[in-house]
């Protein structure tokens, strides 16, 4: 073997060794999440966009089934086997993880300046001193409707409570469509798509929610009982057997074209786009009287935090800073129409239905679901009790007043507002 050949082999060996060393030093970050529906979006769009700008960092998205996520995550965190990044549910569930020192303080993370205090509120301590998850997206409530049905019946988009019920009466009288697709069997639908959808109109959104937390208002006050009085009237428009109707049943009734209106969360957009064979539109919760301020539930839904015990904290922070960027916001919101960016930089939505929902931010006052912050930390849990009573009111088994009294009594049993 010639010296030249030997030198060549040694050089090649050295290069291969360096390449192997560089490859060995790649850091792989794992993201824990309940959003198994998002696996393809992370694998095909988000992760390639990040990795292209951050050589040496690989990302793995490892979701768990939504109903199993909280228990599985807690077990992994306790065992020290959880991923580097933790997808955060809003408010108390994530606050508890932070208080247990499972989530790191991200207050000073570069990129956090891209979010308003309201956007960060679901992942900030009660005293406002620390933020522990990067806000990713919110969901907006309103009503999705069958445009073809509205056109056939000559119905204009309702903007007031009276117009809303007039539209329902017209649909019911025609007889070709169930006026509104919602069941009460699963309970949460009645509260989330019903009470929390229309309620902010009556308790004045954040104003009423803050007063409830401070003890300046009670659930038995008129502003909190009135949405139940409106919900009680929904019973006549939900079709036969709505008491036994599940959430998937409601979705199917609407997407099959059998119902004209669907009380909605914006997360339905992606599914409905693939299933409905008719044109759809959306309108915000009707105001009580023409000219009243409009309110929407624009609810912080998903964030992402740093496992305080991650072995790759610095690399994970680079990913979190990228998740804080307008680039991430644009890819994420347009890949998942109906999950709206919480970034202060506005995202131009490509999907028309998503465009409609997000446009309400310009004309309506946003709030979050009234039960999520502070008020569901005790027993009985106000969120779960609101599910039950919302269904009871629609079913006609409790009056609005009785439902409100039960909820307030449960809250009084453990919650003492700070003075």
């Amino acid at each position: 073997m010639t010296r030249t050949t030997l030198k060549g082999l040694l050089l090649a060996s050295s290069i291969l060794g360096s390449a192997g060393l560089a490859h060995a030093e790649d850091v792989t970050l794992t993201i824990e999440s309940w959003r198994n529906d998002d696996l393809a979006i992370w694998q095909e769009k988000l992760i390639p966009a990040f990795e292209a700008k951050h050589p040496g960092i690989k990302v793995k998205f490892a979701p768990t089934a939504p109903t199993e996520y909280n228990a599985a995550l807690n077990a992994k965190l306790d065992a020290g086997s959880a991923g580097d990044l933790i997808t955060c549910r809003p408010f108390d569930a994530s606050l508890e993880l932070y208080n247990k020192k499972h989530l790191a303080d991200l207050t000073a993370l570069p990129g956090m300046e891209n979010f308003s205090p309201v956007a960060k509120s679901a992942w900030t301590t009660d005293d406002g001193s620390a933020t522990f998850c990067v806000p990713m997206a919110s969901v907006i409530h309103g009503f999705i409707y069958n445009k073809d049905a509205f056109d056939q019946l000559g119905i204009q988009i309702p903007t007031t409570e009276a117009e809303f019920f007039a539209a329902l009466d017209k649909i019911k009288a025609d007889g070709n469509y169930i006026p509104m697709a919602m069941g009460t069997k699963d309970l949460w639908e009645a509260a989330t798509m019903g009470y929390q959808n229309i309620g902010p109109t009556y308790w004045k959104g954040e104003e009423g929610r803050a007063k409830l937390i401070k003890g300046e208002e009670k659930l038995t006050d008129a502003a909190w009982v009135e949405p139940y009085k409106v919900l009680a009237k929904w019973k006549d428009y939900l079709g036969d057997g709505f008491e036994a109707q599940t959430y998937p049943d409601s979705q199917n009734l609407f997407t099959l074209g059998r119902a004209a209106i669907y009380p909605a969360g914006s997360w339905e957009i992606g599914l409905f786009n693939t299933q409905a064979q008719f044109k759809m539109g959306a309108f915000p919760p009707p105001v009580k009287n023409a000219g009243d301020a409009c309110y929407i539930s624009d609810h912080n839904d998903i964030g992402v935090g740093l496992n305080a015990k991650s072995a790759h904290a610095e690399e994970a922070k680079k990913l979190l800073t990228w998740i804080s960027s307008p680039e991430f916001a644009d890819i994420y919101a347009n890949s998942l129409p109906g999950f709206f960016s919480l970034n202060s930089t506005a995202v131009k939505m490509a999907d028309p239905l998503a465009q409609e929902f997000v446009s309400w931010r310009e004309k309506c006052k946003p709030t979050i679901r009234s039960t999520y912050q502070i008020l569901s930390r005790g027993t009985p849990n106000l969120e779960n009790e609101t599910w039950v009573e919302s269904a009871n009111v629609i079913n006609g088994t409790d009056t609005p007043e009785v439902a409100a009294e039960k909820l307030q009594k449960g809250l009084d049993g453990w919650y003492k507002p700070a003075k």
Side-chain angles (χ1 to χ4, degrees):
M1 184 181 290
T2 66
R3 290 180 62 185
T4 305
T5 307
L6 183 62
K7 277 179 70 178
L9 284 169
L10 288 170
L11 182 62
S13 171
S14 171
I15 291 168
L16 283 168
S18 300
L21 186 65
H23 182 70
E25 288 177 352
D26 277 354
V27 165
T28 298
L29 302 174
T30 301
I31 303 174
E32 303 279 0
S33 178
W34 71 88
R35 289 286 307 166
N36 43 18
D37 289 350
D38 300 353
L39 181 60
I41 288 153
W42 278 94
Q43 289 179 337
E44 295 167 15
K45 296 183 179 182
L46 294 166
I47 291 172
F50 172 77
E51 289 180 353
K53 293 183 177 178
H54 298 83
I57 305 177
K58 301 296 180 189
V59 181
K60 180 185 176 187
F61 186 74
T64 306
T67 53
E68 299 165 13
Y69 178 69
N70 288 21
L73 176 64
N74 280 307
K76 288 181 189 175
L77 287 167
D78 289 340
S81 61
D84 303 277
L85 294 112
I86 309 297
T87 303
C88 302
R89 293 195 187 273
F91 298 101
D92 293 350
S94 293
L95 179 60
E96 186 178 352
L97 294 181
Y98 176 73
N99 287 337
K100 287 181 176 177
K101 299 186 168 30
H102 287 316
L103 291 174
D105 184 348
L106 298 178
T107 309
L109 180 83
M112 272 297 192
E113 68 277 5
N114 294 335
F115 302 97
S116 72
V118 172
K120 292 186 281 192
S121 64
W123 303 285
T124 297
T125 53
D126 291 352
D127 63 5
S129 64
T131 299
F132 43 84
C133 300
V134 173
M136 284 169 64
S138 72
V139 290
I140 297 175
H141 285 289
F143 297 83
I144 297 175
Y145 68 95
N146 181 328
K147 272 187 175 179
D148 294 347
F150 271 46
D151 289 346
Q152 287 166 21
L153 299 174
I155 296 172
Q156 300 296 312
I157 294 172
T159 58
T160 66
E161 189 184 300
E163 290 171 358
F164 180 69
F165 282 103
L168 291 172
D169 284 332
K170 193 165 187 178
I171 298 162
K172 187 176 181 181
D174 172 71
N176 283 313
Y177 300 92
I178 297 165
M180 196 153 52
M182 194 185 81
T184 55
K185 182 176 174 60
D186 290 342
L187 304 180
W188 73 269
E189 261 185 286
T192 307
M193 271 66 144
Y195 191 64
Q196 297 289 1
N197 190 350
I198 66 169
T201 297
Y202 301 92
W203 62 68
K204 299 191 185 305
E206 284 296 280
E207 182 184 325
R209 190 178 75 85
K211 286 180 177 178
L212 195 64
I213 291 171
K214 291 174 186 172
E216 295 170 4
E217 286 186 4
K218 290 186 176 292
L219 293 163
T220 48
D221 291 348
W224 296 86
V225 176
E226 194 166 0
Y228 273 138
K229 290 181 177 178
V230 176
L231 275 196
K233 294 164 65 177
W234 283 20
K235 180 179 182 179
D236 295 337
Y237 304 101
L238 300 179
D240 295 337
F242 72 85
E243 298 93 340
Q245 186 174 306
T246 65
Y247 171 55
D249 292 336
S250 302
Q251 292 174 306
N252 289 336
L253 279 174
F254 183 72
T255 57
L256 290 170
R258 292 176 57 196
I261 297 174
Y262 184 92
S266 57
W267 63 83
E268 306 286 6
I269 292 172
L271 177 72
F272 284 10
N273 280 345
T274 63
Q275 293 189 346
Q277 301 298 308
F278 50 84
K279 292 178 183 175
M280 292 179 288
F283 57 88
V287 296
K288 188 176 177 184
N289 299 301
D292 286 355
C294 167
Y295 293 88
I296 53 167
S297 174
D298 188 356
H299 188 74
N300 295 358
D301 190 62
I302 186 168
V304 63
L306 170 61
N307 182 349
K309 294 185 174 65
S310 168
H312 309 296
E314 291 311 307
E315 291 86 355
K317 284 179 180 177
K318 289 180 181 177
L319 177 54
L320 288 168
T321 292
W322 183 72
I323 289 171
S324 307
S325 72
E327 180 188 12
F328 173 87
D330 182 63
I331 299 170
Y332 187 83
N334 276 299
S335 300
L336 284 166
F339 287 85
F340 299 108
S341 169
L342 287 164
N343 198 297
S344 299
T345 304
V347 173
K348 185 169 176 55
M349 303 300 299
D351 182 87
L353 209 50
Q355 278 178 7
E356 179 57 43
F357 270 92
V358 83
S359 74
W360 304 339
R361 285 177 171 172
E362 306 300 317
K363 59 184 180 182
C364 301
K365 297 180 180 181
T367 184
I368 60 171
R369 295 175 201 155
S370 61
T371 52
Y372 263 63
Q373 188 180 34
I374 300 172
L375 299 180
S376 290
R377 291 179 186 171
T379 304
N381 179 297
L382 182 60
E383 165 71 358
N384 293 346
E385 294 299 295
T386 300
W387 293 6
V388 173
E389 289 309 320
S390 298
N392 286 349
V393 166
I394 295 170
N395 291 343
T397 55
D398 273 341
T399 66
E401 292 79 9
V402 166
E405 284 168 14
K406 286 183 179 179
L407 293 174
Q408 187 61 49
K409 184 179 179 182
L411 190 59
D412 286 341
W414 65 269
Y415 181 64
K416 303 292 181 271
K419 299 299 181 188

